[in-house]
Amino acid sequence: RKYAFNRWKEIISDQINNNGSFKYELSRKDSLIYSTLALNGMVQTAEIAQHNNVDLYNYKLSDGRGLERSLDFHVPYITNSSKWNFSQNATYKGDNAAIYELAYAFKQKPSYWKVIEKWKRPMYENKVLASITLTHGIEMVSEDPIIMMTITAPNGGENWTRGVIYTIGWRP
């Protein structure tokens, strides 16, 4: 683990541009998808590190490059891919946007919440994690009071079987 976390720190200078973009992904034909895939790997590593008492979410080089800068850079393009100025042949369909749920749970930045609102919950990350609606107990409340609610049940610890329908309790 220590090697992986240290290696993660070492590659930032070679992988991430000053603006937070991924330098080697920008030349690909589907660069937004590949950029968010690279970001996905960084967030997942930061998440694993967090559970091992290593903080990669806040790690940055002396020039400010790090995970947060890269997350910030990609927000406007994940919420509106037509703004992406690099090659993107395939339609962007929210690939890897689910990692912003983990990032929001850690950083609670309103811009990260905008990504969640754009692509809706539950979020899915089809490359590696599948269902990723993980919040670490952080309340995720929309700024739009019409869709604000509190989940009352389940309240954790349930063992559910796939394919079975369960009742979820909520209140406005």
Side-chain angles (χ1 to χ4, degrees):
R1 287 178 273 184
K2 190 174 186 178
Y3 170 80
F5 302 151
N6 287 334
R7 183 72 181 126
W8 185 97
K9 293 175 183 178
E10 290 171 6
I11 65 170
I12 290 175
S13 63
D14 184 51
Q15 299 287 324
I16 299 178
N17 291 319
N18 285 333
N19 66 359
S21 63
F22 288 98
K23 84 170 71 165
Y24 297 111
E25 309 309 330
L26 296 179
S27 61
R28 292 178 177 258
K29 67 178 184 171
D30 291 320
S31 59
L32 181 55
I33 292 171
Y34 280 103
S35 291
T36 60
L37 183 59
L39 190 55
N40 183 335
M42 290 192 74
V43 168
Q44 288 185 49
T45 304
E47 189 65 24
I48 293 166
Q50 191 67 27
H51 292 281
N52 286 277
N53 299 313
V54 176
D55 183 8
L56 296 180
Y57 277 107
N58 289 309
Y59 180 82
K60 59 181 94 173
L61 301 179
S62 60
D63 63 8
R65 287 182 290 165
L67 179 56
E68 187 173 1
R69 183 176 289 180
S70 193
L71 284 161
D72 292 346
F73 171 82
H74 289 89
V75 165
Y77 309 112
I78 292 173
T79 56
N80 184 355
S81 61
S82 67
K83 293 181 178 180
W84 187 250
N85 293 323
F86 302 94
S87 177
Q88 184 59 41
N89 295 340
T91 302
Y92 181 76
K93 298 177 182 175
D95 298 62
N96 303 295
I99 56 165
Y100 278 86
E101 196 158 62
L102 293 170
Y104 180 81
F106 191 75
K107 288 295 200 178
Q108 298 183 10
K109 289 181 107 174
S111 60
Y112 299 171
W113 180 255
K114 295 290 183 195
V115 173
I116 296 167
E117 285 186 318
K118 162 73 179 179
W119 295 104
K120 310 291 183 224
R121 297 180 79 212
M123 300 189 87
Y124 297 93
E125 187 280 315
N126 296 322
K127 302 283 187 219
V128 180
L129 289 176
S131 178
I132 193 172
T133 298
L134 303 173
T135 62
H136 301 290
I138 302 299
E139 186 175 2
M140 295 197 174
V141 180
S142 171
E143 293 175 6
D144 182 350
I146 294 171
I147 60 173
M148 287 177 53
M149 71 178 85
T150 301
I151 304 296
T152 59
N155 60 7
E158 291 83 356
N159 291 313
W160 290 5
T161 304
R162 181 178 280 199
V164 175
I165 297 174
Y166 297 91
T167 302
I168 297 178
W170 62 275
R171 63 179 163 76

